[in-house]
Amino acid sequence: MSLEPAVAATGDLPRKDGRPFESHPGLDTIPGTLRTRDGTRLRTITTKPAGSRQRLPAVLFLQPLSDTTIELPDSEDDGWARMTKRVARESGLVMMRTEKRGVGDSEGGPCSKLDYLTELSDHRDALAQLGRSEFVDPRRIVVFGASMGGNYAPLVAADQRVAGVLTWGGGARTWFERMMAFERNRRELSDLPADRINREMKQVEAFLHAYLVEGKSPKRIAQEDAAFGAASSQILGLEGDTQYGRPAAFHQQAQAQDWTAAWGNVDAPALALFGEYDWFEDAAGSALSARIVARRHPERTRFKLIARTDHHFTRFERPEDAVKGTGGKVDEGPAVAEILGWLKSLAT
């Protein structure tokens, strides 16, 4: 793997509380430390088939946007935890997860100040460290990005000798387009009066352009035009100069990335999965990533829509129910079946 030798796997990272590390039937759990290129120590959790001494294919898991820990105690039973546990336990592969700065045992942070480029650098360092592991075949590493991790995935894998790239809920379109789709979907699938939908979207579009494309902070936008700034109240997750718990710089740096071009630089098969009722963005953005990769790797690259499933591996009867979060049932099974089947196909 042609990776920068910028990180070290050494250095003990103390446990911040007395909790035992996670355990899984049939797996060895290996807590570790990633020392990033700027010297920050991050907690890593690696699982592998119990007692295995040979070099195995591996999965590097890139987690979603939130500051939720990557640890998987038995008590965690939501869709994300079920999916991740099953991939770790049933794939027969090594899996590595890295805690974000300021989360769990990791140094740095708080996560509310963690920007996109710093997190991207940390993920790249994690891939380099995984490739040096004594129980990993460095030629057979799959980068698995989920949600925002799916938008990191092509930037981490681009120009690297990875075995494949797997995404859930990401896409190749810009962050501005994603945010527009998110805001439109939640309006169109809610009980919002029809005469408000486009009126609000025009205000949202203008605000997001100033915020993401022009790079202005929400505070500055409000100072320049109070009426214009008032549109910020219509943007989900926006609180002051943070959004979804991350600084404005995170979202502006995300907007600056060319994810479409990055997918063009991925020289490995890809599986792009998207929930049919995932209203966080447009499924076409996910399909685009697979279409781009398929130009070089058509045999094992594909896009798959998982029926009646939302972003969080929950099944609903109607897309409107998914937006409201009512009446759903966690069902990670169809997505996990696709993931495991594709991972197996890479090994043959």
Side-chain angles (χ1 to χ4, degrees), residues 20 55 110 167 204 216 236 242 256 268 271 303 320 322 326 342:
R55 289 182 178 268
T167 62
V204 166
K216 298 179 181 179
L236 196 65
T242 66
L271 174 64
F303 165 73
E320 292 85 355
T326 58
W342 185 76

Side-chain angles (χ1 to χ4, degrees), residues 139-200:
R139 300 166 300 174
R140 295 193 290 168
I141 296 176
V142 172
V143 177
F144 177 9
S147 190
M148 174 54 82
N151 294 327
Y152 279 117
L155 296 172
V156 174
D159 301 318
Q160 303 299 326
R161 291 183 59 191
V162 298
V165 182
L166 166 62
T167 62
W168 170 262
R173 292 178 173 175
T174 66
W175 195 233
F176 174 80
E177 289 174 292
R178 180 268 182 198
M179 298 284 275
M180 285 291 293
F182 177 86
E183 293 293 338
R184 176 166 285 280
N185 288 340
R186 74 183 185 92
R187 285 169 172 79
E188 292 184 354
L189 295 171
S190 69
D191 297 325
L192 193 70
D195 62 353
R196 284 181 52 188
I197 294 176
N198 279 358
R199 184 170 73 245
E200 287 193 9

Side-chain angles (χ1 to χ4, degrees), residues 79-256:
W80 284 103
R82 289 190 190 185
M83 180 278 295
T84 312
K85 287 178 182 179
R86 289 192 59 187
V87 173
R89 296 172 179 179
E90 299 175 31
S91 67
L93 308 183
V94 175
M95 176 185 277
M96 176 178 169
R97 290 161 276 138
T98 306
E99 202 80 278
K100 294 176 184 175
R101 297 181 182 222
V103 179
D105 297 336
S106 289
E107 297 175 338
C111 191
S112 60
K113 295 185 180 300
L114 177 59
D115 64 52
Y116 186 94
L117 294 178
T118 300
E119 188 172 342
L120 173 60
S121 177
D122 293 345
H123 287 315
R124 285 172 169 165
D125 289 349
L127 178 60
Q129 178 162 303
L130 181 60
R132 294 194 298 271
S133 170
E134 62 183 358
F135 42 81
V136 169
D137 182 343
R139 300 166 300 174
R140 295 193 290 168
I141 296 176
V142 172
V143 177
F144 177 9
S147 190
M148 174 54 82
N151 294 327
Y152 279 117
L155 296 172
V156 174
D159 301 318
Q160 303 299 326
R161 291 183 59 191
V162 298
V165 182
L166 166 62
T167 62
W168 170 262
R173 292 178 173 175
T174 66
W175 195 233
F176 174 80
E177 289 174 292
R178 180 268 182 198
M179 298 284 275
M180 285 291 293
F182 177 86
E183 293 293 338
R184 176 166 285 280
N185 288 340
R186 74 183 185 92
R187 285 169 172 79
E188 292 184 354
L189 295 171
S190 69
D191 297 325
L192 193 70
D195 62 353
R196 284 181 52 188
I197 294 176
N198 279 358
R199 184 170 73 245
E200 287 193 9
M201 284 306 302
K202 289 178 181 179
Q203 296 172 327
V204 166
E205 180 179 10
F207 181 88
L208 289 177
H209 191 277
Y211 169 41
L212 297 176
V213 179
E214 297 177 25
K216 298 179 181 179
S217 71
K219 182 178 180 180
R220 179 183 169 188
I221 294 170
Q223 290 174 338
E224 291 181 349
D225 188 325
F228 189 45
S232 64
S233 64
Q234 300 176 22
I235 309 294
L236 196 65
L238 191 61
E239 298 180 7
D241 277 345
T242 66
Q243 188 173 20
Y244 310 132
R246 306 298 285 274
F250 177 97
H251 302 281
Q252 292 163 349
Q253 290 170 4
Q255 168 60 22

